[in-house]
């Protein structure tokens, strides 16, 4: 019982001490850093808000013909997919068709879950024929808005 | 107590609380995706919500153990800043934000995660702070009767239970293979160091628990390392039981997934050692 009373009195002392004390240099330092972080993040969000010019999504697919890699399973063609607008799009279907002149054209595709404005994503198509020899078409087939 | 030491303790406690409460959402892909297409006005709203929630919380559960209105504003700002930094560090280590990413995607992901993390920072003391003082005194009475090997068993058991508690909700999700497949060697090393730091922070540096001088595994460094090994094992077993990994999978894939899941199991394990 006496211990509890002692504890309570200690707690009371501590509270009074806390309420009356001036902020220490350490507290001022951490508060300044915290305020700077908060102002920084608010500033960045404001900048995003006011620079938001609503450029519509334009999806480009750039084939890296000079970086084709070949092994026994086929020709690996790296591509860079870019969203040149500033609106995020979802489920971007990227397609490629290779007409090598003999037989049916080869097709390949992959899906990008989200493509943010100004973002670029690297992907690879795999063909049985050499894409640098045939007629290659790459394009984004479809996307939706999240 | 030295003012700088006090501040350091307060902030380590805040970061620890943020990760204990926020870790499941840091491992949720929908949270990353929403961050990619959220509008700036929604980000303002989320930041406002975080500030308001933390302002309210700091009256009852401030991490600096003070409760005047002015200090509550200070604490709310500190908590949101902790949430922002904690989110940035974890998303960076998990390779969910990269230096070349569009700014709106980076800011979106950070702000969305900062909301639950900052709330975790604020309630850190409610669960583990000064209110736990009486419980700890009670526990100390019991602890003194434990032999060193019982202490060890208790710590290992608590690490396993805490790891399962937090890891169980994350182990069966697609996020683990998704994250593991997108990280390289440097991120793996980063995740290991980060896990050890969080574990050390939660148990020893945050003042949630007082280190007991007795027993070979009660030394901070030894216990942190031992706890991490146990957490790795918990992560591996859970991934195996949920069928996320098979023993004939490539070794690198098993190692990567285990290290990724070991982040939440380490946080859970550290929290477990405090609670039990």
């Amino acid at each position: 019982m006496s211990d509890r009373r002692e504890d309570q009195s200690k707690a009371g002392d501590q509270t009074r001490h806390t309420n009356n004390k001036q902020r220490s240099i350490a507290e001022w330092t951490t508060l300044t850093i915290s305020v700077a972080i908060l102002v920084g993040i608010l500033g960045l969000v404001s900048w995003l808000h006011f620079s938001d010019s609503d450029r519509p999504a334009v999806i480009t697919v750039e084939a890296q013909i000079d970086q084709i890699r070949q092994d026994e399973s086929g020709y690996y063609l790296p591509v860079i997919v870019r969203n040149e607008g500033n609106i995020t799009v979802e489920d971007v279907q990227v397609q490629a068709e290779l007409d090598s002149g003999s037989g049916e054209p080869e097709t390949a595709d992959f899906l990008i879950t989200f493509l943010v404005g100004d973002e670029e994503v690297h992907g690879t198509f795999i063909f049985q024929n050499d894409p640098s020899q045939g007629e290659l078409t790459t394009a984004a087939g479809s996307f939706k808005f999240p | 107590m030295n003012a700088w030491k006090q501040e350091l303790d307060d902030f380590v406690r805040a970061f620890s609380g943020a990760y204990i409460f926020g870790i499941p959402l840091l491992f949720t892909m929908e949270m990353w995706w929403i961050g990619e297409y959220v509008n700036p006005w929604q980000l303002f709203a989320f930041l406002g919500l975080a500030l308001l929630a933390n302002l309210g919380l700091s009256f009852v559960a401030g991490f600096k153990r003070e409760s005047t209105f002015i200090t509550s504003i200070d604490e709310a700002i500190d908590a949101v800043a902790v949430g922002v930094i904690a989110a940035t560090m974890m998303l960076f280590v998990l390779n969910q934000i990269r230096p070349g990413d569009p700014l709106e995607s980076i800011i979106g992901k950070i702000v969305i995660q900062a909301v639950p993390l900052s709330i975790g920072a604020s309630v850190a003391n409610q669960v583990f702070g000064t209110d736990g003082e009486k419980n700890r005194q009670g526990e100390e009475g019991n602890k003194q009767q434990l032999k060193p090997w019982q202490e060890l068993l208790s710590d290992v058991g608590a690490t396993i239970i805490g790891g399962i508690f937090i890891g169980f909700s994350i182990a069966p999700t697609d996020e683990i293979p998704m994250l593991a497949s997108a990280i390289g060697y440097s991120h793996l090393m980063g995740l290991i160091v980060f896990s050890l730091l969080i574990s050390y922070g939660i148990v020893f540096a945050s003042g949630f628990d007082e280190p007991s001088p007795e027993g070979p595994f009660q030394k901070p460094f030894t216990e942190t390392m031992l706890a991490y090994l146990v957490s790795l094992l918990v992560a591996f077993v859970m991934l195996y039981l949920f069928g996320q990994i098979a023993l004939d999978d490539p070794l690198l894939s098993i190692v990567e997934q285990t290290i990724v899941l070991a982040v939440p199991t380490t946080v859970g394990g550290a929290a477990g050692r405090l609670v039990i």
Side-chain angles (χ1 to χ4, degrees):
Chain A
M1 194 66 185
S2 66
D3 282 350
R4 193 181 298 165
R5 224 177 276 133
E6 202 177 305
D7 281 353
Q8 280 170 351
S9 117
K10 262 189 210 162
D13 286 350
Q14 207 168 17
T15 313
R16 275 198 300 279
H17 174 67
T18 302
N19 289 344
N20 292 338
K21 78 171 179 182
Q22 295 295 309
R23 238 184 236 121
S24 67
I25 296 171
E27 283 176 308
W28 273 117
T29 310
T30 54
L31 182 63
T32 308
I33 294 169
S34 296
V35 169
I37 290 167
L38 197 62
V39 168
I41 202 97
L42 281 169
L44 284 169
V45 175
S46 306
W47 184 77
L48 288 175
H49 183 68
F50 291 112
S51 67
D52 208 359
S53 54
D54 270 357
R55 281 176 287 131
V58 177
I59 313 297
T60 62
V61 185
E62 183 193 328
Q64 312 278 88
I65 299 285
D66 54 330
Q67 290 178 30
I68 292 174
R69 178 170 60 85
Q70 186 202 356
D71 71 9
E72 56 267 27
S73 60
Y75 292 84
Y76 289 71
L77 169 68
V79 292
I80 301 173
V81 186
R82 287 192 191 88
N83 178 358
E84 291 176 357
N86 66 354
I87 293 172
T88 303
V89 290
E90 186 179 356
D91 289 345
V92 183
Q93 188 80 40
V94 186
Q95 301 164 334
E97 187 179 271
L98 174 64
D99 189 351
S100 54
S102 57
E104 286 287 299
E106 283 187 71
T107 58
D109 62 85
F110 62 80
L111 188 73
I112 299 170
T113 315
F114 284 102
L115 194 58
V116 184
D118 297 320
E119 187 180 24
E120 62 177 45
V121 167
H122 293 248
T124 299
F125 290 118
I126 307 167
F127 295 108
Q128 294 311 308
N129 295 297
D130 187 350
S132 61
Q133 302 302 319
E135 191 184 325
L136 177 73
T137 320
T138 55
S142 63
F143 63 76
K144 65 178 184 181
F145 295 106
Chain B
M1 190 189 279
N2 179 303
W4 286 99
K5 173 82 169 65
Q6 175 74 55
E7 278 301 287
L8 183 69
D9 282 357
D10 284 345
F11 275 88
V12 172
R13 186 183 305 111
F15 273 98
S16 306
Y19 283 129
I20 290 173
F21 289 90
I23 200 92
L25 287 165
L26 281 163
F27 279 73
T28 301
M29 64 176 111
E30 284 79 2
M31 291 287 280
W32 313 328
W33 292 344
I34 291 168
E36 298 209 331
Y37 60 78
V38 68
N39 289 317
W41 70 264
Q42 288 170 295
L43 294 179
F44 277 124
F46 279 125
L47 281 170
L49 186 72
L51 275 170
L52 271 179
N54 284 295
L55 191 62
L57 269 166
S58 66
F59 281 114
V60 287
F63 70 81
K64 284 190 176 176
R65 302 167 190 169
E66 297 169 9
S67 58
T68 65
F69 184 70
I70 298 294
T71 54
S72 290
I73 293 174
D74 286 7
E75 282 188 15
I77 293 170
D78 285 344
V80 175
V82 166
V84 167
I85 299 297
T88 308
M89 289 195 301
M90 184 64 96
L91 289 170
F92 183 73
V93 179
L94 290 175
N95 204 23
Q96 283 307 308
I97 53 175
R98 302 166 202 89
D101 283 354
L103 187 64
E104 63 182 295
S105 156
I106 295 177
I107 299 297
K109 287 176 181 175
I110 291 172
V111 169
I112 299 265
Q113 295 284 0
V115 180
L117 288 168
S118 64
I119 292 172
S122 278
V123 298
N125 241 27
Q126 178 81 333
V127 179
F128 299 109
T130 44
D131 287 349
E133 202 77 41
K134 277 174 279 178
N135 296 337
R136 272 211 302 278
Q137 280 168 4
E139 276 172 21
E140 271 166 22
N142 294 337
K143 271 186 178 174
Q144 278 164 6
Q145 294 163 6
L146 292 178
K147 295 186 174 107
W149 67 268
Q150 286 172 316
E151 282 273 14
L152 171 66
L153 208 63
S154 154
D155 275 349
V156 170
T159 306
I160 293 173
I161 293 164
I164 292 172
F165 181 70
I166 296 218
F168 210 83
S169 60
I170 301 174
T173 63
D174 282 342
E175 278 80 351
I176 299 299
M178 191 188 269
L179 286 167
S181 63
I183 58 174
Y185 176 75
S186 55
H187 279 96
L188 281 180
M189 295 310 288
L191 282 173
I192 293 171
V193 172
F194 203 61
S195 303
L196 290 169
L197 281 177
I198 294 175
S199 177
Y200 181 83
I202 291 175
V203 177
F204 294 104
S206 64
F208 288 173
D209 193 24
E210 299 301 324
S212 158
E214 284 182 34
F217 292 100
Q218 299 306 310
K219 300 268 189 299
F221 182 76
T222 324
E223 185 171 335
T224 304
M225 296 304 284
L226 175 78
Y228 185 60
L229 291 178
V230 173
S231 301
L232 277 173
L233 187 68
V234 169
F236 172 79
V237 170
M238 276 200 292
L239 286 171
Y240 182 71
L241 289 178
F242 278 116
Q244 293 280 61
I245 54 172
L247 295 180
D248 55 356
D249 281 352
L251 183 63
L252 183 65
S253 162
I254 295 176
V255 170
E256 282 174 342
Q257 293 197 52
T258 305
I259 289 174
V260 169
L261 185 61
V263 178
T265 57
T266 303
V267 171
R273 291 200 298 287
L274 301 171
V275 173
I276 295 174

